[in-house]
Each structure stands twice: as structure tokens, then as C-alpha cells.
Amino acid sequence: MKTVGSEFLTRSKPYVRKLIDLLSADYKYVSVLGTDTRGKVYRISKTGTEVYDAMLAERGFVVRLHNGVNYSEYSFNEIDEDKISDIVSDIKANIHKVAKDINTNEYVILEEEELTKQFFSESEVDPVSMSPEEIIRALTEIKELGCSLSELVVNFRAALSFTRVSKIFLSAKKDLEQSYTYSEASMFCVARRDERTKYYFDGFSGMKGYEVIKEMKEHCPRIVDQCITGLIAHEAFGHGVEMDMFVKGRAKGAEYMGKQVSSSITTMHDGAKAANHVSSYLFDDEGTLGSDTTIIQDGILKNGISDLLSALKLGTAPTGNGKRQSFERKAYARMTNTFFAPGTDSYEDMLASIRYGYQIEGLYSGMEDPKNWGIQCIALLGREIVDGKLTGNLISPVVMTGFVPELLQSISMVSEKVELSGGGFCGKGYKEFVKTANGGPYIKAKVRLG
Amino acid sequence: MIEKIKEILANHKDISGYKIKETTIHSNELFFVKKNVDMDRAKRVHHYNLTVYVDFTEDGMNYKGSSNTDIHPTMNDTEIESAIRETAFAAKFVKNPYYPLVQPAESQQASALSAFAKESFPYWMNEITKAIYKNDIYEKGGINSCEIFLDKIETRIVNSEGVDVTDTGYRCMIEFITTWKEEGEEIELYRRIDCSDFDEELFAEEVKNMITICRERAIATSTPALKTASVILTREAVKDFFSYYYSKSNAASVYNQSSTWKVGDQLQGKEVKGDRITMTLDPFMKNSTDSESFDSEGFPLKPVKLIEDGELKRYAADTRYAYYLGVVPTGNIGNIIIESGSKTIEELKKEPYLMTTAFSDFTVDTMTGDFCGEIRLATYFDGRTTTPVTGGSVTGNINELHHELYLSRERSKDNNFEGPAMIMLKNVTVAGIAKD
């Protein structure tokens, strides 16, 4: 089923065009991104039920314009025929008011080519068409199943969220429109023995509709996943090649372009077109078409990912990675679908090759360090491996720290099948949360565990 | 818009109650690369968030269903009607035990007036910039990049019981990266300041502190393989550490089985060797972005002591979870005050220790008590000499360690937290990286 576009954005287009025309009299570049993102979250646990709007639900606009020196932006969420002149006045009164004794960086005026395109994603079952009663019933069944797994389970939560993203991007030469739906289903289990509490969670996600619930039902519970490979890809080199960091001189990766940074059996991609997952789109939040960027090819660092203004500053081609948390926030160079490419080893051979080690699973958190290439990843669980077999002994949580090149160069085996997971959000530092998918095959690597 | 929403709600006889939260945000933002403005932004947005409640009885049990949605100011009447109808329909299937909505209060204490209210935003953006860059005066290091956000937030909460409260607050957020280069690699560190009032000294001093910490990290050696050590937490990690006590003493955590804490529990165990924790929540803390007269339900707030000398005295509880647990509601308060301990910092530093200054990300799991962080900078004292060290990690579990913790007598403040400047924990696992 094709995702339906936003009626609101369609009816707002004439007002946005008029706004662009009025502003163009004073500013040489003007563009407007309009968003109308809808979505719901359903969470059913042993102790309660919640239904609320999805985290990224929003409706509004952001104007970008060249102020004669560099770029300014103005976010707003009220527009109609009568308000357009007020918006223009407010923009002129509020942007580019930097004191004269503060220096500014200069940017050239963006030159665009004529481009009109549309994209509407497909899903099996449109979640908007599902009754809340039906969704709550399905999640309640999964919750009941989870609660029945063990007497140690003190709470179990099943959740579904779906988000329908609709955006338009208009400028003098561009007229872009897209609508796509992604969905996430997740389970969260809390278990307690005496006073010791532990939890585990798992998720299913994609550029999909209500069918993610079916996937979760079929896989409840599953025992292994490849999200840690994705976390390493994301934290190790994803953030490190965000090219706004190159502009600031904050990325060590800039010095390593064309050099060996990883074992020769590793290849890594990022891009809205690199996979069909939660961060797949036609155009980014600056009106640049999405692409498939090969970041690492056979261990050699090849390319970074960039937003439009960083590319303008660096003289490189933008890769369609300019993303905003919402229309209210600035666009930065951000990851989309980031993953290691498949290898040739089987999971069974990888397991058998380990004399002593751990199979790490369950993504908890990670933190980037693009300047100094440190890495911190926290996983929920480590399964002990002795003489090529899982012993059944577990450690939790698992803290992995180290130096990125050492970790990546230690990769000695890579499995054949790639899986992506898009259940979480990615921040830039501690803010600017956007949707990304991460993944890859199983990798065998040496890492310091805390 | 609120009147329009109320009119439409009045036509839905199946709705038992509602809450509308209106927020208006006016914002200015500056983005710096080195000392130059790279981009400026402004924002003027208006948000309405509606929660509808549906009361029903099933098998003799009373339930309150609820569902929540945004009502955008650009929605036409048909869209608003449709959003309310869909939200009310979903609420019918939300089977939560009954709880009452917040009732109107006779009075509410007003929030403190911020200096940001006294001048224009362009004026304050300039003043903040000057303060931030005041100490960026070194050859080998300084501010790599900086982002400044200043928001004026006007909030109104209206509910079907007659609550109608308003407040105006300011939120200033400054994020900056400092760097330092000695002989080897250039070192960088991240810092974020949140506040609700202008404090030139705070901004300038914090930049100076971070540049100093960067310089120390640039000359640091590898963290030794200590296995376990007495670890002194400082700066943001102290605030993060107490987030565990904040979360565990919340009625929602108790009801949802995330916390087993009971009123009267000796939280640090029966035999406490070090300091006992005393924690108060204060909704009127000065210069905090979490200070407010009422919570998100419209409940009027006042200070409340939750933990005294290590004993849980009461839960922090909003109206719903207070009703579920049969306790008096406190409302949701975001500001934490922890009382000082018995030792000065000088006394804490008499024995060998590892004192952490900066982590990659100090993480505290507020459900399990597990904490960990990759060390970006720490000071190691082996009993004779002190050395700046970097790399490796600190891990532990608060439940297993808080029977012997020491809080400094000296205090510090960081936005919504005020408490001891340092915490010493014994026998913390330290994974060092030094070869020998």
C-alpha cells in the first residue's frame, strides 16, 4: 500500500511559494522545508497502557536564506494568506542580528538545478488503517506471552509505534515532495531474582507498516541479534565521517582519507539509498537527493557523509545527509542507514573459531569521539564462549571501550548475512535526535570489556 | 484555539475529561566555528497538546482510559474534530485503573524572574557570546565550536476540572567543544551548560575549566590496570549518580516494578560506613531550567524531602501514581538537592584514589544501579604522586557500593542539581589500559 501524502502540505504550497517570492526580493537564496509528520505510539505493559503521538510528530516550516554573508534560518508553524506578511516581517526582525564586533564566516550563494520529484513509500499494511482496539489486542497478547515466560518476570512491555513522514522542499528551482512510513515494534522485559533486577529489550523496525507486529510475534523471543555490529559501525566511523566535523576540524577521519583504517575484509556504507529502512528517503532536510556512500572499501577510508553547507564549504558533493530533529532545529551532517557489508564466513564457523570470548548482544548506548577515535559502547548482554561453544554463562551489562582503528583492524571474520535495526534514535552529542538504522553481519573482533 | 478545542470536546459526550497544554516558544540561536558565527537561527512556534480521558467500568472495576495528541495551529476545524474523535476512540481501549485528575489549587508560588526577561534576545545573545569567549585566550587551545540557544517558553495548562495555570520561563543552552594541543594529538572535550538566568561568571569560568581539563588530558598517561580503586566522582558524574535515587524514589517506578523501594527502607543498608544521603526536590531552585510553579498536569509544586539520612521518607508522585499507591502527591519536580557529607575534599584525597574529571559518557542505569564510563581524564594518586591519566573505564553497581560512600563538604551546582562537589566510592572496578 502506498503512503498517502499530506493534504496540509498540498494546501500550504501556494502560501509557501508566495513567502519565497516575497523574501526573494531581499535575499538571493530562499528555500522552505515543510513537514507534516504524524504517528502514534502504543505501549502495553503489565501495569498500564499508553497511547500518545510519536516522538517526531510535528507540523511546521523552516526557511533558509542567504543573508548576504552566510545562511540564516527561521522556524515557524502558523501559515495562511493573512500571516505571510507578518512572517516576512518577523524574519527580517529576528535573523542576522549578530553584533558588529563578532566575526562571521562567509558562505557563497547556493546554486541549484531545476528539480521536481516525488516519492511515496510502500508498506504491506498501513498502520493508520488499523483500529486502536486491534493494535492494543495484538500487543496485549504479546505482553501476556512475555509475562508467562518465567516467574522471574515482574513486568513486560510490548510496544508499537508508526510514523508517517511527509515533507515538501521548495525553492526557486526545486519542488520536492515525499511521504513514507516507518514502524517499530519492541519488547521490554524486567526480571527480578531477590533484589537483583535485570532487563532486556528487542525490536523490529523498517520502512514498513503494521506487519512489524507479525514479525515480532514470530520472533518472540529470539536469542541473538546483530545490532552490536551496527552500534560499532555507527559509533566507530559513522560519526567520525560526518563532514560538518571536518569543517570544524573535529574529525580525525579527514586526515585518513585514502588510508587503511580497518581490516581489509571490512566495507561500510551509509545512505538513504544504501538500504530500504527507517532512514530511507528521496531527499534530505536541505533538499538534496539521498545517495549510497561507501565510507570504507576493503579497509580503506573512502568518503565522508555531508550536509549541504559543509559540502559547500569543503568543495565536495553533498551526499544527502543533511537531517534535522524537526523543522524547529538546525540541519547537521547525520547518518541514515549505516552498516558493514557482508563477508564470507558462516556464523557457525565464527563461533567455532573462538577459544575464549563473548558473543555481545543487545544495544544499550554508545558515544562517539570523532576527534580522538575513542569508543564507548554498552551492550545488555555477553554470552560466554569457550572452545567454540556458548556455555550458557552470561555477563550484564557489557562495557566496550577502546581505540577505533585497533578495534576495526582486529576484525578477522565477517558473516554472510546483513541485518539492520532502526529501533532507536541517534544524537549529535547529547541532542538533535534523528532516526537512523544500523547493522551489518556478525563480526569477530578484539575489544576491551569493562 | 483552546476555546475552539473545548467547544469540540463538549460535543463528545463519551469523553470524561481533558487536559490541554499550550506552549509558545520564541527562540534565538547562534552557531560558532572557532570564534566566528557560522549560522544564526530564530524560531517562533505555538504548540497545543491534548489529552482526553474516558472513564468506564468493567467487571465492577473502574478504569480511566487516556490518549494524547498534538493539535497543530494550522489544523482546520475538520482536522481538529477528526484528531479529537480518533484520540477519544483510542482512549476507550486504554484500560488503566481509575485515578482522579488534578484539581484547581487556591494559589501557586510564582517562579523567580530571569534577567533574560529584562532585555531583548539579540542583546542577551551578544552578552552570552562575550562571556563564553572571555577566557578563550590561549595559544595552544580554546573553543573549537559553540552553539548558543536562548528560549522564552510560555506555558498554559487547562483541564476539565477547572485548572487554568500559566507560567513563563527561560531556557539557555550552551554547548561547546574545547581543544588543546601539546606535542601529540590535539585533544577535545565536550561541555553543555543549561540554565535559566544570565551568569557571566559561570559561563566564563566553565570555559576556562574545560580548557584546563583539555590541557591535562593532552599530557595524560594511560590509566593503570588497578582492578579496583577508591574512585572520586566529580562534575557532571555526581549529578548523574544521584539520578538513580531520584528515579528509584518515584512512585511511577515503584508501581511499574522498576523500583522495589518502600517508605521507611534504609536505602544504603543497615550498616553504613560513610555518609548517609539526604535528598530534597525543590521546584524553585534558582537558575534551573526545571524550576516551575506547576508540573505538566497543572499540579502546584512545593519543596519536598524524599530521603533523610539514608531512609526513604516518601515517594515523589504525580496525581495518578500517588492515587495508585495511596500516598500524598508531590507533583513531578525536576530539581534535586543533596546535602553535603562529612569530609572535605582535602580529607577525601588523603588515601590513594582515582579522581575522574571527564568521561566519554558517564552512564547510570536508573533501574539496575549499574554505572560505567570510559575515562577521558582522571587523576590517579598512588599514595605518593598524582598523575593525570586517560583511557580505560570505571564500572560498578550503586546498590553494591553505597553502603560506603563519602560526600564532600564542598558543594557544586549544575542547572537542576545542587549537592556535594565530589563523591568517593570504595572498591570500584577500574579497567586500565597501561601495558604494565
Side-chain angles (χ1 to χ4, degrees):
Chain A
M1 182 173 283
K2 191 169 269 190
T3 298
V4 179
S6 160
E7 284 177 23
F8 164 70
L9 291 176
T10 302
R11 73 171 183 258
S12 298
K13 263 189 170 183
Y15 307 137
V16 174
R17 276 279 169 224
K18 190 170 177 184
L19 177 65
I20 291 172
D21 289 345
L22 286 172
L23 289 169
S24 296
D26 294 300
Y27 304 101
K28 287 189 176 165
Y29 172 88
V30 182
S31 68
V32 175
L33 174 76
T35 70
D36 185 12
T37 297
R38 298 178 60 193
K40 280 285 173 199
V41 178
Y42 293 81
R43 291 174 19 143
I44 317 289
S45 75
K46 200 172 170 180
T47 49
T49 300
E50 295 166 85
V51 181
Y52 52 92
D53 274 7
M55 178 178 162
L56 298 182
E58 62 167 2
R59 183 189 270 194
F61 302 90
V62 53
V63 175
R64 172 181 282 181
L65 48 84
H66 192 276
N67 58 37
V69 179
N70 56 17
Y71 288 88
S72 299
E73 291 187 343
Y74 178 86
S75 301
F76 62 101
N77 69 342
E78 293 180 80
I79 190 169
D80 59 33
E81 184 70 40
D82 300 334
K83 287 196 168 71
I84 295 172
S85 58
D86 290 344
I87 295 168
V88 172
S89 302
D90 208 40
I91 288 173
K92 289 180 178 175
N94 281 286
I95 58 121
H96 198 43
K97 298 295 172 195
V98 182
K100 289 195 172 86
D101 55 348
I102 299 174
N103 293 329
T104 49
N105 285 335
E106 290 186 18
Y107 280 81
V108 298
I109 295 163
L110 282 162
E111 288 183 18
E112 294 182 327
E113 290 179 3
E114 296 279 353
L115 187 64
T116 301
K117 277 196 170 218
Q118 291 183 324
F119 165 64
F120 300 95
S121 74
E122 300 270 355
S123 59
E124 278 179 34
V125 187
D126 182 2
V128 178
S129 70
M130 301 298 297
S131 155
E133 184 180 16
E134 203 163 340
I135 293 171
I136 289 172
R137 190 188 308 127
L139 291 171
T140 302
E141 279 175 20
I142 295 170
K143 180 259 294 182
E144 295 294 337
L145 175 63
C147 288
S148 69
L149 288 174
S150 163
E151 287 177 356
L152 300 179
V153 174
V154 294
N155 206 348
F156 191 97
R157 185 177 71 219
L160 169 73
S161 79
F162 59 86
T163 306
R164 176 188 288 176
V165 179
S166 296
K167 294 185 179 181
I168 55 171
F169 183 88
L170 301 176
S171 65
K173 292 188 177 176
K174 286 189 176 177
D175 186 342
L176 305 173
E177 182 181 0
Q178 63 186 359
S179 282
Y180 55 91
T181 302
Y182 61 82
S183 300
E184 303 156 72
S186 64
M187 299 175 285
F188 182 86
C189 179
V190 183
R192 184 170 296 131
R193 176 178 281 153
D194 301 324
E195 282 300 299
R196 201 169 173 80
T197 304
K198 289 286 174 186
Y199 59 85
Y200 194 83
F201 51 82
D202 201 355
F204 301 82
S205 57
M207 185 75 87
K208 296 171 182 176
Y210 185 69
E211 58 267 26
V212 288
I213 282 281
K214 197 174 151 198
E215 288 177 29
M216 185 158 81
K217 270 184 174 174
E218 286 170 358
H219 291 87
C220 175
R222 65 177 181 180
I223 56 163
V224 292
D225 62 50
Q226 285 138 277
C227 61
I228 295 300
T229 306
L231 179 63
I232 290 170
H234 183 99
E235 302 298 346
F237 255 99
H239 281 294
V241 293
E242 290 169 342
M243 292 174 77
D244 49 357
M245 297 293 177
F246 289 23
V247 173
K248 294 171 182 172
R250 286 191 60 201
K252 200 189 204 42
E255 304 161 24
Y256 279 77
M257 282 298 167
K259 294 179 184 171
Q260 184 96 29
V261 291
S262 178
S263 101
S264 60
I265 58 169
T266 51
T267 292
M268 184 176 146
H269 289 262
D270 176 275
K273 296 283 180 200
N276 185 33
H277 218 280
V278 297
S279 195
S280 297
Y281 46 71
L282 171 68
F283 59 90
D284 69 6
D285 294 334
E286 300 177 298
T288 306
L289 297 184
S291 62
D292 176 1
T293 305
T294 302
I295 295 172
I296 298 172
Q297 176 78 55
D298 302 327
I300 309 291
L301 185 58
K302 290 287 187 184
N303 296 292
I305 54 176
S306 77
D307 59 299
L308 188 54
L309 296 185
S310 299
L312 197 63
K313 201 63 159 173
L314 296 166
T316 57
T319 57
N321 288 75
K323 293 169 66 174
R324 302 173 190 270
Q325 177 176 309
S326 81
F327 74 90
E328 298 185 38
R329 311 291 295 190
K330 182 180 180 291
Y332 297 81
R334 306 303 300 272
M335 278 174 270
T336 53
N337 308 302
T338 313
F339 57 94
F340 283 115
T344 55
D345 301 298
S346 73
Y347 167 74
E348 291 74 20
D349 286 347
M350 292 170 75
L351 190 63
S353 73
I354 296 170
R355 196 165 64 83
Y356 185 81
Y358 287 92
Q359 177 174 295
I360 312 295
E361 63 188 69
L363 182 158
Y364 179 77
S365 74
M367 181 48 71
E368 75 273 21
D369 183 10
K371 180 74 178 176
N372 303 116
W373 277 359
I375 185 168
Q376 172 179 313
C377 296
I378 305 175
L380 291 174
L381 203 62
R383 297 178 188 273
E384 187 186 50
I385 303 167
V386 176
D387 293 332
K389 290 186 178 126
L390 293 166
T391 64
N393 294 330
L394 308 176
I395 55 170
S396 170
V398 185
V399 184
M400 295 177 282
T401 60
F403 186 52
V404 167
E406 278 179 12
L407 191 159
L408 295 185
Q409 283 175 14
S410 78
I411 295 173
S412 55
M413 294 178 90
V414 179
S415 75
E416 298 156 314
K417 192 181 168 196
V418 169
E419 276 191 19
L420 270 76
S421 165
F425 290 90
C426 163
K428 191 119 170 157
Y430 290 88
K431 60 182 183 63
E432 315 299 343
F433 292 96
V434 297
K435 204 73 197 143
T436 56
N438 312 295
Y442 289 104
I443 57 171
K444 180 182 160 190
K446 284 186 180 173
V447 61
R448 186 188 312 116
L449 302 184
Chain B
M1 176 63 105
I2 285 185
E3 290 310 311
K4 187 187 279 185
I5 295 170
K6 282 162 87 171
E7 271 175 35
I8 296 172
L9 285 166
N11 295 329
H12 285 263
K13 302 301 177 197
D14 49 346
I15 292 175
S16 316
Y18 63 82
K19 183 191 75 176
I20 305 166
K21 183 176 183 185
E22 178 186 10
T23 314
T24 306
I25 306 175
H26 175 200
S27 162
N28 274 41
E29 303 165 9
L30 286 176
F31 301 83
F32 292 84
V33 175
K34 301 287 190 293
K35 290 182 168 71
N36 294 358
V37 173
D38 205 55
M39 174 180 272
D40 71 291
R41 288 178 41 84
K43 178 168 83 177
R44 195 177 295 277
V45 292
H46 209 158
H47 298 296
Y48 298 89
N49 185 268
L50 169 69
T51 307
V52 298
Y53 303 92
V54 175
D55 292 344
F56 57 97
T57 303
E58 211 174 281
D59 300 330
M61 290 286 291
N62 294 326
Y63 295 97
K64 183 181 283 295
S66 68
S67 180
N68 172 289
T69 191
D70 288 329
I71 303 291
H72 302 293
T74 44
M75 280 180 164
N76 57 31
D77 289 358
T78 309
E79 286 178 306
I80 297 170
E81 165 63 37
S82 170
I84 291 174
R85 191 174 57 247
E86 285 171 19
T87 306
F89 184 69
K92 288 178 191 170
F93 305 103
V94 173
K95 207 170 162 184
N96 290 327
Y98 172 82
Y99 56 95
L101 298 183
V102 172
Q103 298 295 312
E106 285 180 8
S107 64
Q108 65 181 64
Q109 186 175 330
S111 300
L113 190 66
S114 166
F116 291 132
K118 295 173 186 166
E119 297 286 349
S120 71
F121 269 23
Y123 170 84
W124 285 120
M125 294 302 277
N126 192 34
E127 291 301 302
I128 295 166
T129 302
K130 282 195 286 187
I132 285 289
Y133 282 92
K134 185 178 173 186
N135 287 323
D136 186 10
I137 52 174
Y138 304 93
E139 261 183 48
K140 290 185 176 179
I143 296 173
N144 164 279
S145 47
C146 175
E147 299 184 357
I148 301 170
F149 299 76
L150 183 57
D151 297 341
K152 179 185 180 186
I153 305 160
E154 295 166 285
T155 307
R156 181 182 176 195
I157 293 175
V158 174
N159 80 3
S160 49
E161 307 304 298
V163 167
D164 189 347
V165 289
T166 57
D167 200 1
T168 300
Y170 291 83
R171 186 172 56 201
C172 175
M173 197 278 273
I174 304 161
E175 184 189 74
F176 59 90
I177 305 292
T178 49
T179 59
W180 192 271
K181 184 162 176 21
E182 289 288 339
E183 295 301 313
E185 296 278 335
E186 186 176 69
I187 294 300
E188 75 162 36
L189 286 170
Y190 167 98
R191 175 72 170 126
R192 171 174 162 163
I193 300 170
D194 291 278
C195 58
S196 62
D197 214 336
F198 182 70
D199 187 338
E200 182 185 354
E201 194 181 332
L202 167 75
F203 301 159
E205 278 304 302
E206 201 47 39
V207 169
K208 192 175 176 182
N209 287 341
M210 289 308 297
I211 293 173
T212 305
I213 293 169
C214 262
R215 186 174 59 202
E216 288 284 301
R217 190 184 173 200
I219 57 168
T221 56
S222 296
T223 303
L226 299 170
K227 294 187 179 170
T228 62
S230 293
V231 168
I232 300 175
L233 299 175
T234 71
R235 297 175 61 81
E236 298 99 311
V238 175
K239 175 179 172 177
D240 293 338
F241 182 85
F242 286 109
S243 65
Y244 175 72
Y245 298 87
Y246 178 79
S247 174
K248 283 285 184 184
S249 55
N250 191 286
S253 301
V254 174
Y255 183 77
N256 291 320
Q257 295 286 336
S258 299
S259 170
T260 56
W261 286 11
K262 296 181 185 65
V263 172
D265 278 358
Q266 295 295 323
L267 305 177
Q268 295 168 261
K270 286 175 184 162
E271 291 182 22
V272 178
K273 288 184 188 168
D275 292 317
R276 292 172 189 270
I277 292 164
T278 295
M279 181 171 86
T280 301
L281 305 184
D282 181 1
F284 305 110
M285 183 183 284
K286 205 177 164 195
N287 202 7
S288 163
T289 53
D290 280 346
S291 289
E292 51 197 356
S293 307
F294 49 84
D295 72 3
S296 60
E297 303 298 316
F299 184 87
L301 302 174
K302 55 186 180 185
V304 55
K305 188 175 279 184
L306 300 184
I307 302 169
E308 189 165 19
D309 292 330
E311 180 183 329
L312 184 67
K313 292 292 185 185
R314 62 184 296 183
Y315 296 125
D318 66 11
T319 307
R320 175 182 173 186
Y321 289 100
Y323 185 80
Y324 286 173
L325 296 188
V327 298
V328 177
T330 63
N332 278 322
I333 304 168
N335 299 320
I336 301 171
I337 297 174
I338 303 290
E339 288 193 9
S340 300
S342 54
K343 295 189 177 186
T344 64
I345 291 170
E346 197 177 327
E347 286 167 339
L348 289 177
K349 289 180 171 181
K350 278 186 176 165
E351 294 172 16
Y353 61 82
L354 181 81
M355 184 175 75
T356 63
T357 308
F359 285 102
S360 165
D361 177 30
F362 187 69
T363 302
V364 175
D365 188 320
T366 55
M367 190 186 297
T368 64
D370 293 324
F371 65 85
C372 62
E374 185 210 14
I375 301 164
R376 293 221 165 145
L377 179 68
T379 305
Y380 177 55
F381 174 58
D382 62 4
R384 284 178 298 174
T385 55
T386 55
T387 316
V389 295
T390 187
S393 63
V394 165
T395 54
N397 183 282
I398 294 174
N399 289 315
E400 292 165 9
L401 298 171
H402 65 175
H403 66 279
E404 188 176 7
L405 59 74
Y406 297 91
L407 310 174
S408 71
R409 229 182 270 170
E410 294 85 347
R411 297 183 69 72
S412 69
K413 183 175 182 305
D414 184 358
N415 189 26
N416 58 355
F417 174 81
E418 190 193 317
M422 296 186 187
I423 308 171
M424 177 183 266
L425 298 164
K426 300 279 192 177
N427 298 312
V428 178
T429 303
V430 179
I433 59 167
K435 303 287 182 206
D436 184 24

